Amino acid sequence: MPVTYEHTTLGNGLTIIAELDPEAHSAAGGFFVKTGARDEPAELMGVSHFLEHMMFKGTDRRSADDINREFDEIGAKYNAFTSAEMTVFHGQTLPELFPRCLDLLGDMMRPALRDEDFNQERQVILEEIAMYKDNPFWVLYDELNPRRYPTHPLGHLVLGTNDTITALERDQMKSYFDHRYSADNTVLSLAGNLDFDAAVRQAESLCGGWQDTGAERDTAEPAAPTDSFTIKSERVSRGYTLTMAPAPAYRDPRRHAAGLLAQALGGGGGNSRLHWALIEPGLADECEASYDPHDGGGNWFVFATCDPERLGEVEGILEREIEGLVGSLTEDDLTRLRSKALTAATLAGERPAGRMQRLGILWTYLGDRVSLEEDLAALDAVTIDDTRAVYEAFPFAPRVTGRLVPES
Amino acid sequence: MPVTYEHTTLGNGLTIIAELDPEAHSAAGGFFVKTGARDEPAELMGVSHFLEHMMFKGTDRRSADDINREFDEIGAKYNAFTSAEMTVFHGQTLPELFPRCLDLLGDMMRPALRDEDFNQERQVILEEIAMYKDNPFWVLYDELNPRRYPTHPLGHLVLGTNDTITALERDQMKSYFDHRYSADNTVLSLAGNLDFDAAVRQAESLCGGWQDTGAERDTAEPAAPTDSFTIKSERVSRGYTLTMAPAPAYRDPRRHAAGLLAQALGGGGGNSRLHWALIEPGLADECEASYDPHDGGGNWFVFATCDPERLGEVEGILEREIEGLVGSLTEDDLTRLRSKALTAATLAGERPAGRMQRLGILWTYLGDRVSLEEDLAALDAVTIDDTRAVYEAFPFAPRVTGRLVPES
């Protein structure tokens, strides 16, 4: 199927990228704003995520009700998310309805930010923060992440805290919005069965008036502390352990080797080292290792839950598996990992929505297009020596480890 | 894109169905066994799910390690799940590797069920049961479902209990397997870019020796009790409320009207009645309504979490929205709901994996193929009067309601 790539930049700096497939059954588009929790002043922590909610509250042209209703009228599948590093608004529809979807998304991107909505939505955010406190993983993560980044904004919690959200004022959000949601800090990613030239004209009309503010991100490399702690809680019955340690940044070409290494250690699918060492013998309920790259740094991430009596034993096995990983990795292991990555990438590319996401995320991190073929070629080129080198440079240390256990 | 439908039955009763698409980038297949928690004797509760785990532990031809390794070698995305009513094993790969995927799946379906694996895997299941106890929703659901079905096997918990899993013997599982995993109680669903005739020949060779046991399901209509209870727990900080009430069965043509009604009340996407009444004003953290059809019965399902101090107020609003739903539903509402359903169905159909699942699930419930077009036409034909009629026949009563609140 002939997928073609298009790319242009509007006069105000807004980038538009697309992977077009005239045979697709749908079209997808998303605005990727390069702003998230790490770009917030500490006292405004949570403003990016709160703002994401406010984007659905209406514009000069539309009420909140209109936005929801119109998305439904065109049967769109639409959503938004906020991370430490980006805020994304996306939708997908049948091809003939996509211009209406783009009109809605583009209009939403200039919200009214009405006082009344702001005060009402604050309550929604506070409820969301409260809800996370019943989830053991998030209780542990929210304590650990700020310790992993004690002096760096990557330690910010995406939801903010009760204090920052309660204190936040509408005008502070508006200033943050004006500076960060600029044309030059946003990319519009498109994919599937759509008319690129028509979409560019529509974007010009919807977004051509957006300001170019020169919004930047501080990508200074964060410190790598050593820390550990234990939370005792009456609210849990299992033991939880979570470790973060420095790993390559998104722009680091070693990210491919790092991804395969984490996959070998504790990726999904029942064939990881941790799966065989912990799940198969019934020692842990869940375990997972992953590689989470950021702008200017990255993390290894190792998590397990188990009988709290056996937490020490489980942590010993995690340690042993991490230490033994690189030395025991074989060419066969690598071949299998690459094969899985190839299938996963092909499956993700089967839907315009998957291509749109891939394109938008990569552009936000790299300011460039990486084709699926280039990505797969880079993965294919990873050698055992590459995995050894990335492990030596980032040996799962220094670590910050947190435990959550029942109050006994 | 020319999607074609194929269907055949082997001599032993195994059904093979397929939606072929020679232009797809992948192929997908799954064995759908019509057996789950409701088909278990009460004293063997959890055997279906435990058996699902055991299916990955090896066959006469392969060890557990072989199964995991070979799936990875072909880069397959594969998984399994167990519900009250079916147990499913499925995989997807690039087209040229699909015959190897089918060979693996077919071989897995006749597991060795070795004693040693059985005893080891029992521990894994017990850990999984323990883990769910840290999740407030499951704590509430596991108490509620048996009360919704006090004298009916739909009240069985899919994971079983500590007692049933501890007492279960390998030979009991083997007898259950021999009877329920029969050729005539299983369908092989295929979709995407594959050679149907070759797949049938392969299935004949893999599955042609399976027994035809005449396995049946008791689909007597369950009683509809009224019940309510409150659990107090030190482990939660929010309030949780969950209601189940009778709704149409899967085979009931009113299922389409019921689905739209539940979607209007509390479906995802930010435009439901419950969303506007509870999430928008910040009264609830989460709320959801859904329609869950079964063999010989079905459920409405209404769930919300909120500040425990406001649980009474939230339940009052749930009540008001349920009561006011049918009277206030407009043609515009219906048009929007249909439009969403159309897009969702089209998007799901973009991937062979989505088509394979749809086909397999529908066959398992209906013993027939329903094309996507027929499904959409049935949805399109739903009128306001139909929604009124289904509400009158199934008025969200009698109800079983459970609450989970903090120990104060």
Side-chain angles (χ1 to χ4, degrees):
Chain A
M1 211 176 296
V3 172
T4 55
Y5 176 67
E6 296 281 351
H7 166 222
T8 191
T9 308
L10 301 187
N12 58 2
L14 181 82
T15 296
I16 307 176
I17 50 177
E19 268 188 34
L20 303 170
D21 176 358
E23 293 180 10
H25 294 253
S26 66
F31 285 95
F32 291 69
V33 189
K34 188 173 179 169
T35 202
R38 72 174 291 169
D39 302 299
E40 301 164 348
E43 68 275 17
L44 303 189
M45 197 197 296
V47 66
S48 307
H49 169 258
F50 189 167
L51 177 55
E52 176 216 310
H53 279 231
M54 288 298 295
M55 305 289 286
F56 288 89
K57 296 296 153 211
T59 67
D60 293 344
R61 286 206 269 150
R62 286 180 173 98
S63 68
D65 196 19
D66 288 338
I67 289 178
N68 281 282
R69 188 175 39 75
E70 291 183 42
F71 271 125
D72 273 6
E73 274 169 11
I74 57 173
K77 190 165 168 187
Y78 66 104
N79 214 335
F81 66 85
T82 308
S83 73
E85 309 196 287
M86 65 182 77
T87 313
V88 178
F89 304 86
H90 58 91
Q92 44 180 324
T93 63
L94 304 186
E96 62 273 22
L97 296 168
F98 186 69
R100 288 183 61 191
C101 183
L102 186 54
D103 181 65
L104 264 163
L105 287 169
D107 186 34
M108 268 178 65
M109 294 300 291
R110 286 301 175 265
L113 301 182
R114 286 177 270 263
D115 278 323
E116 188 191 329
D117 295 328
F118 181 86
N119 291 319
Q120 191 178 45
E121 199 63 18
R122 187 204 306 277
Q123 201 49 44
V124 173
I125 306 290
L126 292 172
E127 297 281 317
E128 196 173 339
I129 292 172
M131 187 179 63
Y132 274 76
K133 299 205 190 301
D134 274 355
N135 180 316
F137 172 81
W138 288 109
V139 169
L140 185 53
Y141 178 85
D142 284 358
E143 180 71 26
L144 194 142
N145 194 56
R147 290 173 180 252
R148 164 73 181 91
Y149 295 107
T151 58
H152 192 280
L154 274 170
H156 290 176
L157 302 176
V158 169
L159 264 57
T161 67
N162 264 310
D163 288 348
T164 59
I165 296 300
T166 303
L168 193 69
E169 292 172 13
R170 183 265 176 199
D171 289 351
Q172 293 173 310
M173 178 182 282
K174 176 72 168 110
S175 299
Y176 175 86
F177 172 84
D178 287 341
H179 185 58
R180 302 292 309 175
Y181 275 55
S182 60
D184 54 321
N185 205 36
T186 302
V187 55
L188 169 59
S189 174
L190 304 167
N193 185 349
L194 59 92
D195 178 338
F196 183 69
D197 293 335
V200 171
R201 284 193 301 276
Q202 202 183 349
E204 182 71 59
S205 141
L206 285 161
C207 320
W210 295 6
Q211 298 297 303
D212 172 347
T213 66
E216 295 208 334
R217 164 173 293 168
D218 176 5
T219 56
E221 199 176 334
T226 297
D227 195 359
S228 87
F229 64 92
T230 300
I231 306 171
K232 295 191 175 189
S233 167
E234 287 177 347
R235 300 219 171 131
V236 301
S237 59
R238 308 301 288 168
Y240 298 80
T241 175
L242 175 60
T243 291
M244 287 166 73
Y250 212 102
R251 284 172 178 274
D252 188 324
R254 291 175 291 186
R255 76 171 183 279
H256 298 288
L260 291 181
L261 205 56
Q263 184 74 22
L265 180 63
N271 201 22
S272 72
R273 298 295 168 89
L274 297 186
H275 182 88
W276 286 104
L278 290 171
I279 300 291
E280 282 290 318
L283 280 168
D285 319 329
E286 272 191 303
C287 60
E288 183 192 341
S290 60
Y291 160 57
D292 191 19
H294 292 297
D295 245 354
N299 283 300
W300 304 117
F301 186 97
V302 182
F303 177 65
T305 74
C306 61
D307 180 344
E309 301 287 324
R310 304 185 81 163
L311 194 57
E313 184 185 352
V314 165
E315 289 191 337
I317 293 171
L318 290 173
E319 183 66 47
R320 187 190 76 199
E321 292 298 326
I322 291 169
E323 278 182 12
L325 177 63
V326 166
S328 62
L329 209 65
T330 65
E331 286 295 341
D332 276 357
D333 290 330
L334 266 195
T335 303
R336 282 201 299 277
L337 292 164
R338 284 195 212 101
S339 176
K340 282 188 79 157
L342 171 67
T343 306
T346 305
L347 295 175
E350 282 193 315
R351 302 175 86 154
R355 277 182 247 140
M356 175 274 291
Q357 289 266 4
R358 183 181 168 281
L359 211 57
I361 290 171
L362 278 165
W363 190 284
T364 302
Y365 276 115
L366 305 177
D368 200 0
R369 187 214 178 201
V370 182
S371 73
L372 188 53
E373 292 68 31
E374 288 171 277
D375 243 359
L376 294 174
L379 264 174
D380 209 44
V382 171
T383 64
I384 294 275
D385 282 348
D386 291 334
T387 63
R388 212 162 277 153
V390 76
Y391 182 82
E392 275 165 23
F394 300 94
F396 287 74
R399 291 184 203 175
V400 180
T401 295
R403 296 169 195 93
L404 173 60
V405 297
E407 187 87 64
S408 53
Chain B
M1 209 176 298
V3 172
T4 55
Y5 175 68
E6 297 281 352
H7 167 221
T8 192
T9 308
L10 300 188
N12 59 1
L14 181 82
T15 296
I16 307 176
I17 48 177
E19 267 188 35
L20 303 170
D21 177 357
E23 293 181 10
H25 294 253
S26 67
F31 284 95
F32 291 70
V33 189
K34 188 171 179 170
T35 202
R38 73 175 288 167
D39 303 299
E40 302 163 348
E43 66 276 16
L44 303 188
M45 198 196 296
V47 66
S48 308
H49 170 259
F50 190 167
L51 178 55
E52 176 216 311
H53 279 233
M54 288 299 294
M55 304 290 286
F56 288 90
K57 296 296 155 213
T59 67
D60 294 343
R61 284 206 271 151
R62 288 179 172 96
S63 68
D65 197 19
D66 288 337
I67 289 177
N68 282 282
R69 189 176 38 75
E70 291 184 43
F71 270 126
D72 273 7
E73 274 169 9
I74 57 173
K77 191 166 168 185
Y78 66 103
N79 214 334
F81 66 85
T82 308
S83 73
E85 309 196 288
M86 65 183 77
T87 313
V88 179
F89 304 86
H90 57 91
Q92 43 180 324
T93 63
L94 304 186
E96 62 273 22
L97 296 168
F98 186 70
R100 289 184 60 191
C101 184
L102 187 54
D103 181 65
L104 264 162
L105 286 169
D107 186 36
M108 268 177 66
M109 294 300 290
R110 285 301 174 265
L113 302 182
R114 286 178 268 263
D115 277 325
E116 186 191 330
D117 295 328
F118 181 86
N119 291 319
Q120 190 178 46
E121 199 63 18
R122 188 203 305 276
Q123 200 49 43
V124 173
I125 307 290
L126 292 172
E127 297 281 317
E128 196 173 341
I129 292 172
M131 186 178 65
Y132 274 77
K133 301 207 190 300
D134 274 356
N135 180 316
F137 172 80
W138 288 110
V139 169
L140 185 52
Y141 178 85
D142 284 357
E143 179 71 25
L144 194 142
N145 194 56
R147 289 173 180 252
R148 165 71 182 90
Y149 295 107
T151 58
H152 192 281
L154 274 169
H156 290 177
L157 302 176
V158 171
L159 264 57
T161 68
N162 264 310
D163 290 346
T164 59
I165 296 300
T166 303
L168 194 68
E169 292 171 16
R170 184 264 176 200
D171 289 349
Q172 294 175 309
M173 177 182 281
K174 176 73 167 106
S175 301
Y176 176 85
F177 171 82
D178 286 342
H179 185 59
R180 303 291 310 173
Y181 274 55
S182 60
D184 55 321
N185 206 34
T186 302
V187 54
L188 169 59
S189 174
L190 304 166
N193 185 349
L194 59 93
D195 178 337
F196 182 71
D197 293 334
V200 171
R201 283 193 301 274
Q202 203 182 347
E204 182 73 58
S205 139
L206 285 161
C207 321
W210 296 6
Q211 298 298 305
D212 171 346
T213 66
E216 295 210 336
R217 164 173 294 167
D218 176 6
T219 57
E221 198 176 336
T226 298
D227 194 0
S228 89
F229 63 93
T230 299
I231 307 170
K232 294 191 174 187
S233 166
E234 285 177 347
R235 299 217 172 133
V236 300
S237 60
R238 310 300 289 168
Y240 298 79
T241 175
L242 174 60
T243 291
M244 286 166 75
Y250 212 102
R251 285 172 176 274
D252 188 324
R254 291 174 293 186
R255 76 171 183 277
H256 298 288
L260 291 180
L261 205 57
Q263 184 74 22
L265 180 63
N271 202 22
S272 72
R273 297 294 168 87
L274 296 186
H275 182 89
W276 286 103
L278 289 171
I279 301 290
E280 281 292 315
L283 280 168
D285 319 330
E286 272 190 301
C287 60
E288 184 193 340
S290 60
Y291 161 56
D292 191 17
H294 293 297
D295 245 353
N299 282 299
W300 303 116
F301 186 97
V302 182
F303 177 65
T305 74
C306 61
D307 180 343
E309 301 286 323
R310 304 185 82 164
L311 194 58
E313 184 185 353
V314 164
E315 288 191 337
I317 293 170
L318 290 173
E319 183 65 49
R320 188 190 75 201
E321 293 298 326
I322 291 169
E323 278 182 11
L325 177 63
V326 166
S328 63
L329 208 65
T330 65
E331 285 295 343
D332 277 358
D333 290 329
L334 265 195
T335 303
R336 281 201 300 276
L337 291 164
R338 282 195 214 101
S339 178
K340 282 188 78 157
L342 172 66
T343 306
T346 305
L347 295 175
E350 281 192 318
R351 301 175 87 153
R355 275 182 249 142
M356 176 273 291
Q357 291 264 5
R358 183 181 168 282
L359 211 55
I361 290 171
L362 278 165
W363 191 283
T364 302
Y365 276 116
L366 304 178
D368 200 1
R369 186 213 179 203
V370 182
S371 74
L372 188 52
E373 292 68 31
E374 288 170 278
D375 241 359
L376 294 174
L379 264 174
D380 210 45
V382 172
T383 64
I384 295 274
D385 283 347
D386 292 335
T387 63
R388 212 162 278 152
V390 76
Y391 181 83
E392 275 165 22
F394 299 95
F396 287 74
R399 292 185 202 173
V400 181
T401 294
R403 297 169 194 92
L404 173 60
V405 297
E407 187 88 63
S408 53

